[in-house]
């Protein structure tokens, strides 16, 4: 497949995906192309692509250096603009050839209200220091929520915001604030080194695209401890798992120090899931929220995180909510169906519909 033909085939597939409001497109050698629509995978009719054809498509999406790294066996993520919006491209080797996963990003950045995040998230945007974590499974919209809170800060206050991302998914134009965006691999070698360098760049707010390793977590905690507001994401299933994930990334005596730091700097955790809407078109965000009040800080410091759920259950006045409570509210408003709610919760027996006989 020539480069010109590859571009035509790619454009057709992207058009199909956008017309279906798909979130992702997947290419693998000798396997039907597939798109993800409202969380479900759908195969695209037509001939499957060979390794040679996928490489031709990859060459239009990824720069030469990135393509060479991908062909050498390294996972490579970059963004590409097709004229209608940014697309995050992830290239990796599988079955002896290249595979591609494309995430179709929102053409415009939605606001916190449009995402329908809990109101307390807006309060997090007004904080001057501490650590705010957006958590959830892959594809739950964490990066979009992170970008939305950055945009809120950028629009409402005069602060210096430094982002560290892999790759940059949303481009921010400085408004009231000054925004500087750094991309791993292009502007800095690792999240850890970028975070250490960030402390010398006079930021008020540091945005970490993803906390993957203990070194990055430690650097983020130190940044929050030294008077910065740090916003970051983690791949975890609920708020308690998010806290445990950070602590468990360390071993031995280091855990006590990390618990103490985390208890001191944590502002809140928003753990989000996307749930298929009752109409079958689109998905609705459901979130669990932990706000770090005095009771939560004590439990984190004393390694009693298993009791944090009780804090969330009794913290409605502080803006806290369990995922199950939010799912019940969405069901009560007819926004999601019962089976969709049950599918995303590990505690489906705790889902109650407010005002119903089952409450």
């Amino acid at each position: 497949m020539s480069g010109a033909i590859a571009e035509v085939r790619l454009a057709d597939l992207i058009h199909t995906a956008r017309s279906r409001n798909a979130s992702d497109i997947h290419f693998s050698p000798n396997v039907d192309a597939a798109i993800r629509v409202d969380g479900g995978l759908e195969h695209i009719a037509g001939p499957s692509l060979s390794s040679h054809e996928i490489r031709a498509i990859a060459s239009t999406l990824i720069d030469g250096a990135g393509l060479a790294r991908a062909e050498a066996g390294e996972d490579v993520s970059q963004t590409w603009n097709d004229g209608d919006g940014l697309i995050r491209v992830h290239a990796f080797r599988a079955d002896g050839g290249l595979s591609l996963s494309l995430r179709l990003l929102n053409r415009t950045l939605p606001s916190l209200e449009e995402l329908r995040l809990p109101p307390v998230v807006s309060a997090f945007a007004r904080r001057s220091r501490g650590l705010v974590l957006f958590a959830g499974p892959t594809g739950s919209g964490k990066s979009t929520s992170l970008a939305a809170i950055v945009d809120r800060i950028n629009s409402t206050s005069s602060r210096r915001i430094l982002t560290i991302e892999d790759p940059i998914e949303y481009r921010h134009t400085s408004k009231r604030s000054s925004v500087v965006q750094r991309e791993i691999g292009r502007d800095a070698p690792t999240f850890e080194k970028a975070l250490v360098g960030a402390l010398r760049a006079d930021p008020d707010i540091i945005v970490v695209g993803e906390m993957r390793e203990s070194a990055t977590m430690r650097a983020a905690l130190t940044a929050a401890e030294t008077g910065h507001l740090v916003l970051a994401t983690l791949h975890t299933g609920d708020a308690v798992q998010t806290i445990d994930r950070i602590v468990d990334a360390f071993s031995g005596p280091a855990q006590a120090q990390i618990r103490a730091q985390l208890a001191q700097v944590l502002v809140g955790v928003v753990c989000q899931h996307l749930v298929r809407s009752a109409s079958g078109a689109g998905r609705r965000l459901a979130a669990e929220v932990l706000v770090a009040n005095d009771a939560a800080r004590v439990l984190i410091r004393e390694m009693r995180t298993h009791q944090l759920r009780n804090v969330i259950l009794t913290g409605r006045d502080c803006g806290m909510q369990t995922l199950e409570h939010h799912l019940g509210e969405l069901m009560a408003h007819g926004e999601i169906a019962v089976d969709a709610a049950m599918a995303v919760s590990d505690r489906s027996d705790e889902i109650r519909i407010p005002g119903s006989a089952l409450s």
Side-chain angles (χ1 to χ4, degrees):
M1 179 186 287
S2 70
I5 297 175
E7 289 182 11
V8 171
R9 183 74 186 276
L10 176 64
D12 288 343
L13 288 166
I14 292 175
H15 175 76
T16 298
R18 289 199 193 281
S19 67
R20 296 292 316 283
N21 291 320
S23 59
D24 301 86
I25 308 173
H26 300 290
F27 306 110
S28 293
N30 304 312
V31 176
D32 292 345
I35 60 175
R36 189 172 294 280
V37 180
D38 296 336
L41 204 63
E42 299 180 6
H43 292 284
I44 300 296
S48 59
L49 300 168
S50 68
S51 295
H52 177 73
E53 290 169 330
I54 291 178
R55 187 195 183 283
I57 289 176
S59 68
T60 71
L61 300 172
I62 303 172
D63 61 37
L67 184 60
R69 285 168 29 224
E71 291 188 308
E74 183 178 342
D75 283 25
V76 174
S77 292
Q78 295 184 359
T79 50
W80 179 74
N81 194 325
D82 71 338
D84 286 328
L86 279 179
I87 297 174
R88 187 185 72 199
V89 182
H90 183 69
F92 58 98
R93 286 189 65 86
D95 295 324
L98 284 180
S99 287
L100 299 171
S101 290
L102 279 56
R103 171 66 52 84
L104 306 180
L105 303 175
N106 290 309
R107 291 169 178 161
T108 58
L109 178 58
S111 67
L112 295 175
E113 289 75 20
E114 288 170 332
L115 291 174
R116 301 177 74 178
L117 283 159
V120 73
V121 178
S122 294
F124 292 162
R126 295 191 292 271
R127 298 293 292 261
S128 60
R129 61 180 62 86
L131 177 66
V132 176
L133 299 172
F134 288 88
T138 299
S140 59
K142 300 183 295 297
S143 296
T144 302
S145 296
L146 193 65
I149 195 172
V150 169
D151 187 63
R152 174 59 53 84
I153 296 168
N154 186 20
S155 302
T156 58
S157 63
S158 298
R159 293 192 267 181
R160 179 168 167 81
I161 305 169
L162 194 153
T163 79
I164 304 167
E165 304 168 75
D166 181 23
I168 293 171
E169 296 187 1
Y170 292 95
R171 299 281 178 178
H172 295 278
T173 301
S174 295
K175 299 175 184 176
R176 291 189 61 187
S177 291
S178 172
V179 185
V180 177
Q181 295 182 263
R182 304 185 72 193
E183 185 167 286
I184 299 302
R186 184 193 67 184
D187 304 314
T190 64
F191 277 105
E192 178 194 5
K193 291 185 177 180
L195 268 166
V196 172
L199 298 180
R200 304 187 185 98
D202 188 35
D204 298 298
I205 297 164
I206 302 173
V207 180
V208 185
E210 185 180 350
M211 296 205 302
R212 301 170 182 166
E213 301 170 343
S214 60
T216 303
M217 295 174 186
R218 187 187 293 276
L221 289 170
T222 299
E225 197 173 40
T226 53
H228 304 85
L229 178 62
V230 179
L231 311 171
T233 72
L234 276 171
H235 288 281
T236 46
D238 59 36
V240 176
Q241 287 178 22
T242 302
I243 303 302
D244 288 341
R245 168 75 181 279
I246 294 174
V247 174
D248 291 346
F250 301 84
S251 59
Q255 284 195 345
Q257 177 190 350
I258 295 302
R259 286 199 307 272
Q261 282 184 291
L262 189 55
Q264 177 185 346
V265 305
L266 185 68
V267 172
V269 179
V270 181
C271 189
Q272 55 190 62
H273 298 257
L274 293 178
V275 187
R276 179 169 44 82
S277 68
S279 67
R283 289 184 289 176
R284 177 70 167 84
L285 188 147
E288 180 164 284
V289 180
L290 167 67
V291 177
N293 59 11
D294 289 342
R297 296 184 192 283
V298 169
L299 294 179
I300 293 170
R301 188 178 297 111
E302 296 181 355
M303 201 170 61
R304 291 189 286 149
T305 54
H306 61 282
Q307 296 179 24
L308 281 172
R309 186 167 176 82
N310 292 330
V311 173
I312 299 173
L313 287 166
T314 57
R316 293 285 294 169
D317 291 344
C318 300
M320 296 195 229
Q321 63 186 31
T322 64
L323 173 65
E324 287 67 33
H325 181 94
H326 197 191
L327 290 171
E329 288 185 336
L330 295 174
M331 290 166 59
H333 290 98
E335 296 189 52
I336 62 173
V338 174
D339 60 338
M342 300 298 177
V344 300
S345 171
D346 293 330
R347 297 182 175 89
S348 56
D349 59 315
E350 296 182 17
I351 298 175
R352 299 289 185 272
I353 303 176
S356 76
L358 298 176
S359 299

